[in-house]
Amino acid sequence: MKNDKPINHVEVEQAEWDKREEWFKETFKKYPKALESRAFKLEKLEYYEFVHAKYINSPDPNDRLAARFLGEQKVKLERALYPSSTVRFLKKVFDVFSKPKVFSAPVPFSESFPGNNEASLKDVKKQLIQAGLGSCISELEGQIKQGNDEFSVSAAIYFKPGEKTSYKADFKKDEEGNLQFLGFKIILDSKDGKEALSQQYKWDDNKPYTAVKAYNQLNGRAVAHSYSMDGEKQSSMTMLDFTDKDVSGNFRTKEFPLDFDYMKELSALPLKDKTRALLSRLENDILNGNRAQVTFLKNGVEETYYIEANPGQKSFTVYNEHHKKITLKDAISIRATESVVKEEMRNKQTESPNVSSDTKTSQKEPRLKVVRNTKKKTKMSAS
């Protein structure tokens, strides 16, 4: 493998927390200070305490160093949540008797994977992290300890609240005892009574699929790939064809050349901000198959849309703020914006505070009306 950077278990655990934090932030995006809530900080403190206890006595010096740093962050969180030193002391006493001890520090490779095949285990762990399945590593080490030559480990990711995405990663030792990461299967929970979708991905170092890309593909979106073929770098966009399966039950893929300049087309959109950093982030989201949120500014009016790659049409697929598909022409049309503004103004007028009928009448200009008496004489009166 090209990357010989050693696996850091604390780094893997931190990456898992970062995913949870992103999910929490996205779920409660209407509340800008959600990450500052006491409930969130208590959950974060508990997680940091667990990881710190798990790796502070690790035989790996890099794990111990990372755990010490995590311990400092844990102390800062604890002081913010419990300003009183007396309360902090009582909490520690309570934790001693109420929380289970953590003895599961990582076992050295020489003990968990004897022989000359430690390098293959390190490579496999790097591949799992690259695939976004680093949470499988603990279960992987447990299978290795048991001496299994062929096995699977599982993981679950919630990209959306209440929507579980399951992964099953497959491993096998070759004739020389080297561990190999064969690939993973992704399974989406069934929706609205429909059959659950699944897809098997083989692991290829030259053209790797990640957990996120697999999720986006199974949701019908296109993802970009860069790989080497005959010594030349190739790039393409691929989508699943849900109308066609191969003999193993996998959906076949549709491939499109990556000859559409997404960065240039993003710059042409009426984005509220067009900083280089924002455009790069949007391009990265789109090429990874994400549905990216954008804010258009038209005639001083801000509108929220979502866009994703449409390689077949060399364009974007656009959704409004309610995730309903619309045309790009309508999304960027100023007339469409003006009609929306006018409609909102009409709605506001209709929904204005109720005014009594007497008040409405008093606000009108007086008009003349003819009143006839019994003597058939005409008299003018104002009302």
Side-chain angles (χ1 to χ4, degrees), residues 5-17 47 50-52 54-67 70 104-109 112 121-122 125-126 128-129 134-142 145:
K5 179 184 175 183
I7 295 294
N8 186 278
H9 295 82
V10 179
E11 180 183 0
V12 173
E13 301 274 10
Q14 181 64 51
E16 289 303 308
W17 173 259
Y47 186 85
F50 173 79
V51 176
H52 177 263
K54 186 176 180 181
Y55 296 106
I56 192 61
N57 295 317
S58 168
D60 187 329
N62 290 328
D63 282 346
R64 291 198 305 273
L65 178 60
L70 200 66
S104 52
V107 179
F109 289 136
S112 63
L121 178 57
K122 291 181 180 179
K125 289 185 175 182
K126 291 172 187 175
L128 277 176
I129 293 173
S135 60
C136 294
I137 288 179
S138 295
E139 188 179 350
L140 169 70
E141 291 177 337
K145 286 182 187 179

Side-chain angles (χ1 to χ4, degrees), residues 207 223-229 232-238 255-260 287:
K207 194 177 181 181
V223 301
H225 276 294
S226 295
Y227 54 96
S228 297
M229 181 177 290
E232 294 184 3
K233 188 176 181 180
Q234 304 288 333
S235 297
S236 65
M237 297 285 285
T238 57
E255 191 164 350
F256 305 89
L258 187 54
D259 54 2
F260 181 67
L287 293 179

Side-chain angles (χ1 to χ4, degrees), residues 110-231:
S110 58
E111 296 179 21
S112 63
F113 204 51
N116 298 319
N117 304 314
E118 295 177 17
S120 68
L121 178 57
K122 291 181 180 179
D123 288 342
V124 164
K125 289 185 175 182
K126 291 172 187 175
Q127 290 168 342
L128 277 176
I129 293 173
Q130 185 180 359
L133 298 173
S135 60
C136 294
I137 288 179
S138 295
E139 188 179 350
L140 169 70
E141 291 177 337
Q143 292 285 349
I144 292 295
K145 286 182 187 179
Q146 295 175 26
N148 297 324
D149 294 334
E150 188 171 354
F151 55 89
S152 299
V153 298
S154 58
I157 300 176
Y158 288 83
F159 291 102
K160 293 181 180 178
E163 182 185 270
K164 180 182 177 182
T165 305
S166 302
Y167 295 87
K168 187 182 76 169
D170 302 317
F171 305 88
K172 185 179 181 180
K173 289 181 182 178
D174 61 18
E175 295 179 354
E176 298 178 353
N178 295 309
L179 188 65
Q180 296 177 322
F181 175 35
L182 304 179
F184 62 86
K185 183 177 184 179
I186 175 176
I187 305 170
L188 286 185
D189 272 352
S190 58
K191 300 178 183 177
D192 303 323
K194 297 180 181 179
E195 183 182 355
L197 294 176
S198 64
Q199 185 78 354
Q200 185 77 37
Y201 289 87
K202 291 182 179 179
W203 182 258
D204 184 347
D205 286 321
N206 294 318
K207 194 177 181 181
Y209 273 93
T210 64
V212 173
K213 285 187 175 182
Y215 170 81
N216 286 334
Q217 271 201 337
L218 213 51
N219 276 278
R221 295 190 285 273
V223 301
H225 276 294
S226 295
Y227 54 96
S228 297
M229 181 177 290
D230 298 329

